[in-house]
Amino acid sequence: MSPQTEEGTSMMSPTTTTCTAHCSASRPSQRRTRVPAFQRGPLLVAIALAWPLGSAQAQTTTPTDAAPEAPRAGKLEPVTVTAERRVENIKNVPMAITTLGGEKLDVLNSGGQDIRFLSARVPSLNIESSFGRAFPRFYVRGLGNSDFDLNASQPVSLILDDIVQENPILKGFPLFDIERVEVLRGPQGTMFGRNTPAGALKFESVKPGKKLEGYVNGSYGTHGTVNLEGAINVPLNSEWSARVSLQSQNRDDWVTNTFSAGPTKSLEGYRDTAARLQLSYKPSANFDALLNVHGRDLNGSARLFRANIIKRGTNDLVDGFDPAKISTDGKNEQTLSSSGASLRLRWDLGGVALHSITGYESVKALSRGDIDGGFGASFLPSSGPGFIPFDAESADGLPRHRQLTQEIRLESTDKGPMKWLGGAYLFDESIDIDSFNYSSIGGNVQNGYATQKQDNRAYAVFGSLNYDVSDAFKVRGGLRYTRDKKDFVANRVSAPPFSPPFIGRLSTATNASNVSGDLSGTYALNKATNVYGRFATGFRAPSIQGRLLFGDALSVANSEKITSIEGGVKSDLLDGRARVSFGLFQYTMKNQQLTAVGGAANFNQLINAAKVSGRGAEVDLQAFVTDNLLLTLGGSLNKTQIRDAKLRVDACGSGCTVQNTITAPANPAVGKFSPTVSIDGNPLPQAPEVVVNVTARYGLPHGNGGEWFVFTDWAYRSEVNFFLYKAKEFTGKPLLEGGVRLGYTWGSGKYEAALFGRNITNQVQTVGGIDFNNLTGMINEPRTYGVQFKAAF
């Protein structure tokens, strides 16, 4: 949903904080000739952080987005973003933004992991999933949604090539041939509308160009992991050009099911293939068009739920835990197919540009897993591992999904102190959901079935204004009006065991409107340093849940609304050798939509918290310590708190050690198998207080156009609660994962051979749980090693 880029300000220009003198060979157009090291010297992080605060006097001229000077060794390249729907230098945009691209993105993606590899790789970002590769859940500044139903809404929006990916299944589309990732933190209610109170992730694919070029990138690693990626760019004539991009990610099953009667013997493998075709048409300087057609096919394991892997009274794994083994009697499978297309048109009308962005997305999916994570039940002759009160196996599917979007936007293009844009946006989504329950006892018999249908239509009108008050001081602001309607019908066809006997149909609808906006200012202390402040609001439209497979009621969460204030400094340091941004923020969320997940009934219930508060700090730093050594540092501190003295939820039904005040104890005699607790004062789930990430790259030039290099990356997040309540067993320990890459490039960067490792210290920890009948946990991705080869032409 960002603007089509004008010729001369193409997004193909250098755009990433990490694409430097050592850019990835897969982006040959962004590389530059390396210069031997000279004038080496240490750079202290403390100096970098203090530098902007000491620049007290503003210059008489303001930094511009003009074409940058030719890059040189040991100097960071400029970063441009489209967070505000215009191509701008990141330093001039008054909000917290982190970008990823080039070599850093290639390295993080080398192990074949899905989009979750971005978790903790930028400040204040956490990503987790109980569906594996198919359904990522995003959290920014602690704000997210742990809902696992297939019509779940999230407060973090994902925008792929200008098209919002609303359904959570769409958000797992693989990242390949990507030019830039932008992580926008804080409410994005003006430019991107509803369901962005926490922020947005924007992904921009490499666009067709006027040169015949391309690349191939292949790797092989442990567990039979094979990753292939490539693209070819073909200029068809003076007006048309095309780019075809492909990716195939494959892994063998590496987990063995030790339960001999289990229907699925081996697990955790996948085959994930995706493709993208783009056609660019530019017959004149006054018109251009871009057609994007894409699709994905996934076949593999659903998330592995492992029974009783947590030691009671602690959050330690049980003694002797082996991640390569599981013992389960349920069937495990996951399939997904998606397709989509978009058409972006731009007309230059003389002083005004008209944009049209049309999008279509469709996805079908089915995911089936053994929820209790073990075999048998306590009332049978055998069961395990550990105590399994009863058997549980279920599946959820999207047999039908369709999303249509349309945006029309006008923006000013004349030079001058004032710039404006305005437009309208339409969203239309229709989804069907199937939910199944099975009994593994007696041969995997289906014994419960329910359906859901949701139609969601929304429209918005928006506008923004940028004004240069002086050469140093600039202000901008905007407003957006949104109306959102949902119609929901759920039908329980058959009731599974241990559930209310209700059979029938329930329906409800929501209709809400909202005005959100932002006001911000940037002041140039000097040519290199800007300070900024931003006030912003946003909202998430009402949500509906009706998981009638295990319940007999619908739940509706009203609109949540956020007010956020942030301020910070962005500076280029040491003649372009370093760059830093630092910010502080505080927000208040009213009526935040939360999901009470699990409990003894394994039931999703939507609730609103009267108030949630958050505050924190974030920093991004990149610096050439020497001409050949590039360091990056990102970090965040987030404090979140639920503030609602009346809010209660059901805690675990698995006998865990609850750490909140119990307001109503479990009473099996009346069918209540889990205690009710107060969550007032708790932090939000999956909201780490501390996130830190570090990368280092050292290159040693060799011969004519060759280079030996080593790249290492590390990401840390502090402990997290898995659920709204606190329990010792369902508290994720702090997690530190690292990677390393050693290799050689030659042919002036056209060829590269490397060895790589992911999760090299072999961390094995629970990163999620299921809390309704035993101490079931999910673990992080395994350690992998491999070799990789890349070639560009």
Side-chain angles (χ1 to χ4, degrees), residues 131 148-150 331 333 335 365-371 391-400 432-440 444-452 491-497 499 546-550 602:
F131 275 72
F148 56 77
D149 271 329
L150 297 183
K331 187 175 183 180
E333 62 180 346
T335 59
L366 176 68
S367 188
R368 177 175 174 176
D370 190 352
I371 308 304
D391 174 67
E393 182 182 344
S394 65
D396 287 308
L398 277 178
R400 190 183 71 88
D432 291 345
I433 301 172
D434 287 338
S435 295
F436 304 90
N437 190 74
Y438 302 91
S439 173
S440 298
N444 279 276
V445 178
Q446 180 184 321
N447 59 5
Y449 175 54
T451 66
Q452 302 173 51
N491 185 31
R492 189 193 237 188
V493 179
S494 60
S499 295
R547 196 172 179 79
L548 294 187
L549 185 62
F550 299 105
N602 191 32

Side-chain angles (χ1 to χ4, degrees), residues 133 160 172-176 178 247 249 272-274 276 296:
R133 301 176 71 85
L160 176 59
F173 195 84
L175 300 185
F176 59 100
I178 292 291
Q247 184 188 67
Q249 296 182 310
D272 200 351
T273 304
R276 182 189 304 114
R296 179 192 187 190

Side-chain angles (χ1 to χ4, degrees), residues 542-620:
S543 299
I544 306 171
Q545 280 301 350
R547 196 172 179 79
L548 294 187
L549 185 62
F550 299 105
D552 56 1
L554 306 182
S555 61
V556 179
N558 296 324
S559 298
E560 64 182 24
K561 299 180 181 180
I562 189 172
T563 301
S564 170
I565 300 174
E566 69 176 83
V569 58
K570 300 182 180 185
S571 185
D572 296 326
L573 307 172
L574 305 181
D575 190 28
R577 295 181 66 88
R579 179 182 296 125
V580 66
S581 64
F582 175 79
L584 300 172
F585 66 87
Q586 182 174 359
Y587 64 78
T588 299
M589 180 82 81
K590 293 185 178 180
N591 289 325
Q592 182 175 357
Q593 298 179 21
L594 300 172
T595 304
V597 174
N602 191 32
F603 186 66
N604 265 14
Q605 182 180 4
L606 295 174
I607 56 178
N608 287 105
K611 185 181 290 187
V612 170
S613 62
R615 65 188 188 278
E618 296 161 336
V619 63
D620 269 309

